[in-house]
Amino acid sequence: MNIVSNRVVDTDPHSNTTLRLESALEAGLVALFKVQPGVIAVMAQYQVEICIDGIWHTYWFDICVDFENGCRAFYAVRNEENAEEVELLVELFRNQELKNHGHFAFVMTEEDISKPAIYRAEQIVQARRKDNKRNNGLVYQTLMQAGGRERLGNVFLAIQEIIPPSVAWDAVWSLIDQGVICHDHPDAHNLFLKNHSWIRVVGRENDEEE
């Protein structure tokens, strides 16, 4: 199945605005912005004009994002194999009209919007809805008792008679979201967090590859 073939309706949690997206890849990018610090609004289908050979053409950026520092950025989302032509259009926009609309314009592909990164963002969004300080504290204390670094599955085993793994899983993502613990791998953002993965209390350095 082509990752950009399905239309999606989503909601920007910052502005509670409905987003009508043209592809699953666009939805993946929106998922990343849901949890990125500093984002205050996400919009879909932002219209601009680009001059090509003396003729002005309408172009729609797939995603527009406003940040709390006042910056506005535009994102054209394409499969890697189709990105080159769009890169040329976006470069024309940067040179001609960007200053009248915002500050940055990018072309994003599946190389930038990886499946592990999307999964991480989706898990954090879900964990925010279920945030439970007791469960978070239990996972944190168990990790501390293990020396501040342990495989995720071993943490779940240590507390399985108190809370089930599904609940502990949400707690782990809550703690990651809060910056209290991390997936302990140098390329964590490009890897799925699994039972054999190492997690670590932030500030206790002891990185190893999985």
Side-chain angles (χ1 to χ4, degrees):
M1 183 178 68
N2 190 321
I3 194 171
V4 298
S5 64
N6 300 320
R7 293 189 175 185
V8 181
V9 176
D10 203 346
T11 302
D12 171 32
H14 310 92
S15 61
N16 199 33
T17 300
T18 298
L19 306 175
R20 300 188 183 278
L21 308 168
E22 296 296 317
S23 71
L25 194 56
E26 289 179 26
L29 181 59
V30 170
L32 302 188
F33 285 128
K34 286 181 180 180
V35 299
Q36 181 172 324
V39 173
I40 60 173
V42 179
M43 295 167 278
Q45 302 302 311
Y46 186 97
Q47 181 179 343
V48 300
E49 301 293 323
I50 300 174
C51 186
I52 305 172
D53 296 329
I55 300 174
W56 288 93
H57 298 264
T58 298
Y59 180 77
W60 298 83
F61 276 97
D62 299 299
I63 304 294
C64 171
V65 180
D66 289 334
F67 297 87
E68 62 185 7
N69 63 4
C71 286
R72 169 170 284 184
F74 306 98
Y75 300 86
V77 181
R78 293 292 186 278
N79 272 343
E80 186 70 33
E81 62 190 37
N82 301 321
E84 186 174 354
E85 181 180 351
V86 177
E87 287 275 11
L88 295 175
L89 291 174
V90 171
E91 183 61 24
L92 286 173
F93 172 72
R94 292 190 190 108
N95 295 334
Q96 297 170 357
E97 286 290 302
L98 176 59
K99 62 181 181 295
N100 297 323
H101 295 269
H103 304 85
F104 303 99
F106 305 98
V107 177
M108 306 290 282
T109 72
E110 63 271 24
E111 296 297 316
D112 308 295
I113 314 167
S114 69
K115 289 182 179 179
I118 294 170
Y119 176 73
R120 175 189 177 92
E122 290 173 343
Q123 292 298 308
I124 287 175
V125 168
Q126 177 175 295
R128 287 178 178 177
R129 292 196 296 264
K130 299 180 180 180
D131 188 38
N132 183 292
K133 290 182 172 54
R134 171 185 172 274
N135 296 337
N136 295 354
L138 181 59
V139 168
Y140 178 79
Q141 289 302 322
T142 302
L143 186 55
M144 287 294 290
Q145 290 168 6
R149 185 174 186 268
E150 183 55 274
R151 290 192 185 274
L152 183 62
N154 290 338
V155 174
F156 290 167
L157 284 173
I159 56 177
Q160 64 179 346
E161 295 185 2
I162 306 174
I163 57 174
S166 60
V167 174
W169 187 259
D170 289 329
V172 166
W173 283 113
S174 286
L175 293 170
I176 289 175
D177 183 31
Q178 295 163 21
V180 177
I181 69 174
C182 66
H183 178 183
D184 193 16
H185 191 283
D187 198 29
H189 284 272
N190 291 315
L191 295 172
F192 289 100
L193 185 64
K194 298 182 178 180
N195 279 348
H196 67 264
S197 301
W198 290 92
I199 57 174
R200 169 176 57 82
V201 173
V202 171
R204 298 201 170 201
E205 302 292 339
N206 188 21
D207 292 348
E208 291 181 11
E209 291 192 359
E210 297 186 348

